[in-house]
Amino acid sequence: MLIKLLRACLGPYKKPIMLLVALQLLQTCATLYLPSLNADIIDNGVVEGDTGHILQYGGIMVAVSIAQVVCNTGAVFYGARTAAALGRDVRASIFDRVQSFSAREVGRFGAPSLITRTTNDVQQVQMLVLMTFTMMVSAPIMCVGGIIMALGQDVPLSAVLLAVVPVLGIAVSLIVRRMRPLFRTMQERLDTVNRVLREQITGNRVIRAFVRDGYEEKRFRGANTELTDVALSTGRLMALMFPTVMTVVNVSSIAVVWFGAHRIDSGGMEIGALTAFLSYLMQIVMSVMMATFMFMMVPRAEVCAERIQEVLETDSSVVPPVEPVRELRAHGHLEVRAADFRYPGAEEPVLRSVDLVARPGETTAIIGSTGSGKSTLLGLVPRLFDVTDGQVLVDGTDVRTLEPSLLARTVSLVPQKPYLFSGTVATNLRYGNPDATDEELWQALEVAQAKEFVEELEHGLHAPIAQGGTNVSGGQRQRLAIARTLVQRPEIYLFDDSFSALDYATDAALRRALSQETAEATVVIVAQRVSTIRDADRILVLDEGRVVGSGTHHELMDGNQTYREIVLSQLTEAEAA
Ligand SMILES: Nc1ncnc2c1ncn2[C@@H]1O[C@H](COP(=O)(O)OP(=O)(O)OP(=O)(O)O)[C@@H](O)[C@H]1O
């Protein structure tokens, strides 16, 4: 998964990658060359007392060192730039994919997990790429080059390396194997902490109202402790890694000095060669250390890449049409034909063979008990979900074949729980129509019975709105959401219980103003309150996902038992007449 993700995302950066690999190669060669130069200075300059030789080779050492620093800086620069670009691209890809998701996919992953995947998971992969470019490219060259150069200094002494390299390799891989499952658990527990935290922040008022602070604190502490526990377990393994490596390094240094001293004593080796050999040993161990560091990062990045790929490879269940219809001939004609809908994983369908026809200039109302499928039915029109059977037609065209932007322009849904974005009243109202003038905004506010309260706000149309619209009341939020839809001027208006938070007088005034404003449009209203819908041209009665009645208020009062029961639970016989 990691390789697949990297291959896909690093494709556009071949040139800088090639450049940085070349720079890393040069700087590693320079690093490998320096101990040999040093050995030459000791053996042929210091031991022989040749100052000219010392100055000449000293000069070369300075030049090689400068070249090494320049190449290293360049490699780190390009490495950091490419890694940052990769992070940006992956985040953008996840964002695009999530934008295409329907409610079903968002529900499957959950918002907190999608946020962790877009931020923390991408950062882990980005970090690995940065480390690879800045350290890992040079590690194998340094290891192999170090061994070759060490052999060049003294072949018998190089036997020490035969023991050092495998011992290090085995020790490191044993530790890394135990780390891998811990990293997966760590990312999952991070998800849990995010989920709990998010729920507690958004549900803050409920927590206070039910005095559940203690319970929630315990829940967060539990999630936090679980994350800490797994982080400590990986920390302990990491802590084990470095002493292991250092023990191998120190023991092998002693062995080199011991055997090297004997070889010098017997005249088989010079003192400069021994210092060079020690330097190469350090470089080899350093490269193994770098690889170790990488091995520690790879399992976590692998887990993160898997989680990222899972999002990127998930297709939306609401598929955009291949050859979309870009123009509609009629205007505002909505028809739901024998529609069935079943939520994924649910045993029973929520809607069964539902038929509905709504025409321009008419108001169609849907009433039914809680959970009878009213919101689900409205959600089928703007394709929040697609029917599992049957059809939804706008102006005679199946919504699944309509170009998504055309559908969005034609149909506008005011959801049961309206959402406002952080910004101002004006930016929210212009959400579906950025070119709307201030006069149009005020007009929409007037119809939505929100003009008065916006006028009273200190900055009027430019008054700030908090994320989610939490700084206005539920009723004000509903009215702003209705105004936002009016500004968009769609042909089909869908109001999902959008008047529920309004008092009776405001509800009546709003519907009066709305009927004039939307006289030409198709209006579908879902409501629990009979007074909201009794004047509708047609009322559809839903019961457990089936249409059990259709007609005007009076027709249904005369002939539909379910409707009568709903009405008489709210009004007296005289009021209902
Ligand atoms: N995302 C979902 N996954 C599974 N089942 C769901 C989901 N959303 C709703 N349901 C179920 O579908 C049924 C219909 O829900 P829906 O929200 O359409 O009802 P409703 O008539 O609008 O209710 P209310 O009047 O309370 O808003 C309910 O039984 C509900 O439990």
Side-chain angles (χ1 to χ4, degrees), residues 343-344 346 350 368-377 416 496-497 528:
Y343 280 102
V350 173
S369 54
T370 297
S372 55
K374 304 181 295 292
S375 301
T376 310
L377 176 58
Q416 200 169 18
D496 187 359
D497 221 356
Q528 297 276 9

Side-chain angles (χ1 to χ4, degrees), residues 510-529:
L510 195 152
R511 278 183 292 112
R512 250 194 324 274
L514 201 61
S515 62
Q516 287 167 12
E517 184 72 12
T518 60
E520 314 270 289
T522 307
V523 177
V524 181
I525 298 178
V526 160
Q528 297 276 9
R529 219 187 268 166

Side-chain angles (χ1 to χ4, degrees), residues 3 26 54 78 89 151 173 237 300 361 453 466 486 504 555:
I3 304 287
L26 285 173
I54 295 173
Y78 282 109
D89 294 352
L151 280 168
S173 54
L237 284 174
R300 189 168 186 187
F453 101 80
L486 291 169
Y504 279 88
E555 285 166 2

